[in-house]
Amino acid sequence: MGFVFQQFVEAPALYACQSCRAHISRREDVMSRTFQGKLGRAYLTKTVFNERLGEEEDRQLMTGLHTVCDLYCRPCNTLIGWKYIRAYDKSQQYKEGCYVLEKSMIFAIEHPDRSQKTLLPVPPPTLDNALARFMSDVGIQTSSRSSMPWS
């Protein structure tokens, strides 16, 4: 089957797959948070990432007949919603090309505002520092390096 490549999205806030944490959509692209999905509350959005679409089919939904296809998370193949291909009712045509994300199948990721912070590289911990931190976490007192049993 080969490798499944994921697209990582830089945005202030994202929605990700509940199963594999792949980025699915930007919060700023959500058009409505009051949709009803198969599993409960859902979001209507105009863009998605890391998606795979199923076969097109006509479905009778709450707002009428639509041509839709199921929307899967590409990395883990979890069903996360559907895409509107065609709306037969003229008042529903604004949905065409948009996606419905089941709220129970995604979760929100909040990213810090990186424009106001300077990110400094953090050196990797040394073995002595990592061991001392572990010993401190489990309650073993170490006052100096000389008290370590291997010193």
Side-chain angles (χ1 to χ4, degrees):
M1 179 171 167
F3 289 104
V4 176
F5 292 98
Q6 287 189 40
Q7 185 175 358
F8 293 93
V9 182
E10 284 289 329
L14 299 166
Y15 291 109
C17 175
Q18 191 74 269
S19 297
C20 72
R21 300 183 177 272
H23 294 174
I24 299 296
S25 184
R26 293 183 295 249
R27 187 169 68 184
E28 64 199 39
D29 291 338
V30 173
M31 299 165 59
S32 174
R33 290 180 174 79
T34 60
F35 267 64
Q36 185 66 31
K38 293 178 188 176
L39 306 173
R41 302 267 319 234
Y43 299 150
L44 181 69
T45 185
K46 52 188 171 184
T47 58
V48 295
F49 309 97
N50 297 308
E51 82 280 2
R52 183 181 68 77
L53 298 175
E55 296 291 321
E56 291 184 11
E57 62 180 272
D58 286 341
R59 285 190 200 155
Q60 185 67 39
L61 302 174
M62 292 173 58
T63 55
L65 184 64
H66 298 272
T67 302
V68 299
C69 55
D70 286 333
L71 175 66
Y72 297 91
C73 174
R74 187 177 31 182
C76 69
N77 212 32
T78 300
L79 179 65
I80 56 174
W82 67 87
K83 179 181 182 180
Y84 285 104
I85 305 299
R86 182 166 187 252
Y88 293 95
D89 185 352
K90 197 163 186 73
S91 68
Q92 300 298 311
Q93 289 181 347
Y94 72 96
K95 298 176 185 176
E96 291 179 355
C98 295
Y99 304 86
V100 173
L101 300 173
E102 298 277 0
K103 187 177 175 187
S104 64
M105 303 307 292
I106 59 174
F107 70 98
I109 300 174
E110 302 291 333
H111 290 295
D113 182 10
R114 293 187 178 129
S115 64
Q116 296 177 354
K117 297 179 182 175
T118 303
L119 299 177
L120 300 174
V122 178
T126 64
L127 181 59
D128 288 343
N129 290 343
L131 185 57
R133 188 173 37 239
F134 169 75
M135 292 174 73
S136 172
D137 289 345
V138 295
I140 300 172
Q141 296 292 327
T142 58
S143 59
S144 70
R145 200 170 200 297
S146 62
S147 65
M148 300 270 181
W150 59 87
S151 299

